[in-house]
Amino acid sequence: MEGGSNDATSVKVSARDLDVFYGSTQALHGISLDARANRVTALIGPSGCGKSTFLRSINRMNDLIPGMRRQGRILLDGADIHDPGVDVVDLRRRVGMVFQRSNPFPKSIYENVSYGPRIHGVSDRGTLDEIVRTTLEQAALWDEVKDRLGASALSLSGGQQQRLCIARALAVEPEVLLMDEPASALDPLATARIEELIHELKERYTILIVTHNMQQAARVSDTTAYFYLGRLVEVGPTAQIFTNPAKQETEDYITGRFG
Amino acid sequence: MSSRLPGRPSAAWKGSAFVALCGAAAAIIVAMLAIILADVVRNGWAGLGWEFLVSAPSEGMRGGGVGPAIFGTFALVLLMTIAVVPVGVLTAVYLFEYARPDSAFARAVNLAVSNLAGVPSIVFGLFGLGFFVRFVGGGIDRVFHAGELAWGKPSILWAALTLALLTLPVVIVTTGEALRAVPVAAREASFALGATKWQTISRVVLPQSLAGILTGAILAVSRGAGEVAPIMFTGAAYFLPKLPTRLTDQFMELGYHVYVLSTQSPDIEATKPILYSTVLVLLFLTFLLNATAIAIRARFRAALRPQDA
């Protein structure tokens, strides 16, 4: 099936009239956007357009920024993530995140992957071993590191470190995976591996990915949303956005006339 | 050349003269250290030996060694470390991780830390005498020992606590620097996995700050090991026939011993060789501690730095 509009899968993440302010600056203006389960939603747009802010709103990482204010709602499976009853710890377990620059802890490969399960109360060694193995397999890293799980994560290459960070995020069994330009610091080969991985991961997860790379958005995503100056300009099936966008601004950006 | 800017021939040599002046100023510090070291080593080296390091002073300070003073210094510094590191680290964690930087309490703590660092050490000594020895110690005696003198007199415990107060700013400041050096990315990685603030601090931030915290502890030790003023009223003794074994015992200490040898000896000329050797031991100990701090820091930094596969 091509595209997202007539898609059979359910809506997993849904933003409704989301405004975000940093101090007196408004970073997001009334964003309403749906991300479907088992689909990849790409967020594109020039630097400072609010796509990362939007991404970081979904797991409430923006809460850590002093002076941040928000209006509007974000629904995860139909439930507002800002409800007073929602535990942000539980939200972040369900909504994993992979950052632009790979940020493994200066610990061993094993400790990196088992960090999440451990903080969520798994202490049985056998269970941890199993989680580490399966998540490293899912992140397509197992074969490369299975003989040196005790080695420092910092001894891995950049691409391997990023796949380790993906494994680390998967280890807490999230439902949604947020990826903030996960391949922007990687060489083309490592990038290709990450894209391949995204393709496999969408079988099990809902993925939202921020990218500066148009080709990447076209290759990996089912739905594309174009942000500009904190507003959502256009959203639609990726094939349509890239071949026949409804708005002139979108076309200008995609064809590289600006941005 | 047809430039309309004639240039200023004097500018070049003025520049060179300024460089020379700066260099000379910098050279003074090297020269001073060299002179101090040369003087101490030349006069003190001959007196050094195993016997000197382990034996007690004898013949009214004209003979014997500094064994008890070395022991006392180590015991004092150990007690001080046990007191200052937890308090300093917890303060720094509160200040840099939990407190809002602009809150009144955080500003008060910051102000206290920087002022504490500027208080002359003799004031710490008097404070230690008044607060720890008389108020705390005397209070313990009144309540638990029916006024009999047990804790309300100078002792190694009160001296160590006074010294801990003096070195507290060092530990707080170095720990704070270490905490701030932990990248935001590492904290975010932890939070994004659903870790609480406490889990992030205890499992990510503090382990990554360990080198800085250790450095701070050792710098505090090397600062404290040479201080005389804070301990002279609170526990250091002129001479003791035996080593301290309890927290309420007094003790001999290297820095204080130097002071005693140079001012309190009945025959100052006769104690001079011993004085030089004692200073040499004190200097060596302090340098050793500083070198250890630098080595630990370098080692931890290397361990945290990314390596190529």
Side-chain angles (χ1 to χ4, degrees), chain A residues 67-94:
Chain A
M68 195 281 298
R69 277 188 309 119
R70 168 201 54 82
Q71 286 164 1
R73 301 196 300 162
I74 296 177
L75 309 172
L76 178 61
D77 286 336
D80 194 332
I81 64 166
H82 296 99
D83 269 348
V86 171
D87 183 358
V88 72
V89 163
D90 185 54
L91 172 71
R92 290 185 188 145
R93 194 199 57 68
R94 292 175 63 193

Coordinates of all heavy atoms in Angstrom, one line a residue, chain A residues 67-94:
Chain A
G67 N 11.4 27.4 30.9 CA 10.8 28.4 30.1 C 9.9 27.9 29.0 O 9.3 28.7 28.2
M68 N 9.7 26.5 28.9 CA 8.9 26.0 27.8 C 7.4 26.0 28.3 O 7.1 25.7 29.4 CB 9.4 24.5 27.6 CG 8.8 23.9 26.3 SD 7.1 23.3 26.3 CE 7.2 22.0 27.6
R69 N 6.6 26.4 27.4 CA 5.1 26.4 27.6 C 4.4 25.7 26.5 O 4.9 25.7 25.4 CB 4.5 27.8 27.8 CG 4.7 28.4 29.2 CD 3.9 29.7 29.3 NE 4.3 30.6 28.2 CZ 3.4 31.1 27.3 NH1 2.1 30.7 27.4 NH2 3.7 31.9 26.3
R70 N 3.3 25.1 26.8 CA 2.6 24.4 25.7 C 1.1 24.6 25.8 O 0.6 24.7 26.9 CB 2.9 22.9 25.9 CG 2.1 21.9 25.1 CD 2.2 20.5 25.7 NE 1.8 20.6 27.1 CZ 0.5 20.6 27.5 NH1 -0.5 20.5 26.7 NH2 0.3 20.6 28.8
Q71 N 0.4 24.6 24.7 CA -1.0 24.6 24.6 C -1.4 23.5 23.6 O -0.6 23.2 22.7 CB -1.6 25.9 24.2 CG -1.5 27.0 25.3 CD -1.7 28.4 24.8 OE1 -1.9 28.6 23.6 NE2 -1.6 29.3 25.7
G72 N -2.6 23.0 23.7 CA -3.0 22.0 22.8 C -2.7 20.6 23.3 O -2.2 20.4 24.4
R73 N -3.0 19.6 22.5 CA -2.9 18.2 23.0 C -2.1 17.3 22.1 O -2.0 17.5 20.9 CB -4.3 17.6 23.1 CG -5.3 18.4 24.1 CD -6.5 17.6 24.5 NE -7.3 17.2 23.3 CZ -8.2 16.3 23.4 NH1 -8.4 15.6 24.5 NH2 -8.9 16.0 22.3
I74 N -1.5 16.3 22.8 CA -0.9 15.2 22.0 C -1.5 13.9 22.6 O -1.5 13.7 23.8 CB 0.6 15.2 22.2 CG1 1.2 16.4 21.6 CG2 1.2 13.9 21.5 CD1 2.7 16.5 21.7
L75 N -2.1 13.1 21.6 CA -2.7 11.9 22.1 C -1.9 10.7 21.7 O -1.4 10.6 20.5 CB -4.1 11.7 21.4 CG -5.0 12.9 21.6 CD1 -6.3 12.8 20.7 CD2 -5.4 13.2 23.0
L76 N -1.7 9.8 22.6 CA -1.0 8.5 22.3 C -2.1 7.4 22.5 O -2.6 7.3 23.7 CB 0.2 8.3 23.3 CG 1.0 7.0 23.1 CD1 1.6 6.8 21.8 CD2 2.0 6.9 24.2
D77 N -2.4 6.7 21.5 CA -3.6 5.8 21.5 C -4.8 6.4 22.1 O -5.6 5.9 22.9 CB -3.2 4.5 22.4 CG -2.2 3.6 21.7 OD1 -2.2 3.6 20.5 OD2 -1.5 2.9 22.4
G78 N -5.0 7.7 21.7 CA -6.2 8.4 22.0 C -6.2 9.0 23.4 O -7.1 9.8 23.8
A79 N -5.2 8.8 24.2 CA -5.1 9.3 25.6 C -4.1 10.5 25.6 O -3.0 10.4 25.1 CB -4.7 8.3 26.6
D80 N -4.5 11.6 26.2 CA -3.7 12.8 26.3 C -2.4 12.5 27.1 O -2.5 12.1 28.3 CB -4.5 13.9 26.9 CG -3.8 15.3 26.6 OD1 -2.5 15.3 26.5 OD2 -4.5 16.3 26.6
I81 N -1.2 12.8 26.5 CA 0.0 12.5 27.3 C 0.3 13.5 28.4 O 1.2 13.4 29.1 CB 1.2 12.4 26.3 CG1 1.5 13.8 25.7 CG2 1.1 11.3 25.3 CD1 2.9 13.9 25.0
H82 N -0.5 14.6 28.4 CA -0.4 15.6 29.4 C -1.4 15.5 30.5 O -1.4 16.4 31.4 CB -0.4 17.0 28.8 CG 0.7 17.3 27.8 ND1 0.5 17.2 26.5 CD2 2.0 17.6 28.0 CE1 1.7 17.5 25.8 NE2 2.6 17.7 26.8
D83 N -2.2 14.5 30.5 CA -3.1 14.2 31.6 C -2.3 14.1 32.9 O -1.2 13.6 32.9 CB -3.9 12.9 31.4 CG -5.2 13.1 30.6 OD1 -5.5 14.3 30.5 OD2 -5.8 12.2 30.2
P84 N -2.9 14.7 33.9 CA -2.2 14.7 35.2 C -1.9 13.2 35.7 O -0.9 13.0 36.4 CB -3.2 15.3 36.2 CG -4.2 16.0 35.4 CD -4.2 15.4 34.0
G85 N -2.7 12.3 35.3 CA -2.4 10.9 35.7 C -1.3 10.2 34.9 O -0.8 9.1 35.3
V86 N -0.8 10.9 33.9 CA 0.3 10.2 33.1 C 1.6 10.4 33.7 O 2.0 11.5 34.1 CB 0.3 10.8 31.6 CG1 1.5 10.3 30.9 CG2 -1.0 10.5 30.9
D87 N 2.3 9.3 33.9 CA 3.7 9.3 34.4 C 4.7 9.5 33.3 O 4.7 8.7 32.3 CB 4.0 8.0 35.2 CG 5.3 8.0 35.9 OD1 6.1 9.0 35.7 OD2 5.6 7.0 36.5
V88 N 5.5 10.6 33.3 CA 6.3 10.9 32.2 C 7.4 9.8 32.0 O 7.8 9.5 30.9 CB 7.0 12.3 32.4 CG1 8.0 12.3 33.5 CG2 7.6 12.8 31.1
V89 N 7.7 9.1 33.1 CA 8.6 8.0 33.0 C 8.0 6.9 32.2 O 8.7 6.3 31.3 CB 9.0 7.5 34.5 CG1 9.6 6.1 34.4 CG2 9.9 8.4 35.2
D90 N 6.7 6.6 32.4 CA 6.1 5.6 31.6 C 5.9 6.0 30.2 O 6.1 5.2 29.3 CB 4.7 5.3 32.3 CG 4.0 4.1 31.6 OD1 4.6 3.1 31.5 OD2 2.8 4.3 31.2
L91 N 5.6 7.3 30.0 CA 5.4 7.8 28.6 C 6.7 7.6 27.8 O 6.7 7.1 26.7 CB 5.1 9.3 28.7 CG 5.1 10.0 27.3 CD1 3.9 9.5 26.5 CD2 5.1 11.5 27.4
R92 N 7.9 7.9 28.5 CA 9.2 7.8 27.8 C 9.6 6.3 27.6 O 10.4 6.1 26.7 CB 10.2 8.6 28.5 CG 10.0 10.1 28.4 CD 11.1 10.9 29.1 NE 10.7 12.3 29.1 CZ 11.0 13.1 30.1 NH1 11.8 12.7 31.1 NH2 10.7 14.4 30.0
R93 N 9.0 5.4 28.4 CA 9.3 4.0 28.1 C 8.5 3.6 26.9 O 9.0 2.9 26.0 CB 8.9 3.2 29.3 CG 9.4 1.8 29.2 CD 8.6 0.8 30.1 NE 7.2 0.8 29.8 CZ 6.7 0.3 28.7 NH1 7.4 -0.2 27.8 NH2 5.4 0.3 28.6
R94 N 7.3 4.2 26.7 CA 6.5 3.8 25.5 C 6.9 4.5 24.3 O 6.6 4.0 23.2 CB 5.0 4.1 25.8 CG 4.4 3.2 26.9 CD 3.0 3.6 27.2 NE 2.1 3.4 26.1 CZ 0.9 4.0 26.0 NH1 0.4 4.7 27.0 NH2 0.1 3.8 24.9

